[in-house]
Amino acid sequence: MLPWRRLLRPLAVLVLTAAALAAPSGTAQAAPTGPSSGWNDFSCKPSAAHPRPVVLVHGTLGNSVDNWLGFAPYLVHRGYCVFSLDYGQLPGVPFFHGLGPVDKSAEQLSAYVDRVLGATGARKVDIVGHSQGGMMPNYYLKFLGGAGKVDALVGLAPDNHGTTLSGLTKLLPYFPGAEDLLSEKTPALADQIAGSPFLAKLNAPGDTVPGVRYTVIATKYDQVVTPYRSGFLQGAGSQVRNVVLQDLCPLDFSEHLTIALTDRIAWHEALNALDPGNAEPTTCASVFD
């Protein structure tokens, strides 16, 4: 990939962040709920084949609908009860969520999981998250009692150990006040910078908690979570599986957004993580599954 193209996504993130900072104050608008095809259907009851509902957690600047327009129906079609939430809303910033403090977003996830469990009667959920949405649930598991309510956490390009945003975060010290402005206006972005106080707290107890199965699916073409292996986790035995998409299919050129939005190879591997007892090898041909 040409160097200038590798910079497009980080620059897009910065442009969207600037738009968020420029938005007028007021009450954040909620994104619309999912389509009526079974996604976000709180009357859905898990089947014996798929006894755990799946909670989808969007990434930074995403929302509960746009982030999952492909993957949510993919799961519903396969018989899962699927739910997605909005979190990290900022006042006056509609649609672009996941910008509030990550620990507060984890509290929103905690309340949402309780709502899903109460509605479905399930004992546990599985979580699939993209980017921040793959990392933030770790705070819920470690500090908010989530470990007893979650069987599996699957991260699509998660930033579990932060990001340098293709090196752009290293420029912040050269702009006086930039880091303070970032922390004040978009706390989640500051929290996700490699070496942040939030990430130090998050990872101090270790990467994982007992009883939860972890899968990280990364792409070597990720230009937002950099280096891409910063999403990998360390855990005991078979508790953690770290996967690089290109090891499954060398022809997969997905980057940070498309791994969640359109990549059926990544989706197939996520499906394997949700139902390991019926897992099938993920290959380039999985795009047709």
Side-chain angles (χ1 to χ4, degrees), residues 190-259:
D191 285 346
Q192 293 175 84
I193 294 174
S196 72
F198 170 80
L199 288 170
K201 176 183 177 180
L202 176 66
N203 294 309
D207 285 356
T208 62
V209 295
V212 178
R213 296 182 294 109
Y214 297 83
T215 302
V216 173
I217 304 173
T219 171
K220 68 180 183 180
Y221 298 114
D222 198 322
Q223 67 281 69
V224 174
V225 175
T226 57
Y228 70 89
R229 292 181 181 273
S230 66
F232 286 176
L233 297 170
Q234 300 296 321
S238 60
Q239 184 185 22
V240 174
R241 184 160 186 262
N242 295 308
V243 182
V244 179
L245 270 180
Q246 288 71 34
D247 290 340
L248 304 175
C249 175
L251 300 178
D252 192 321
F253 297 103
S254 287
E255 40 70 68
H256 187 73
L257 285 187
T258 53
I259 192 175

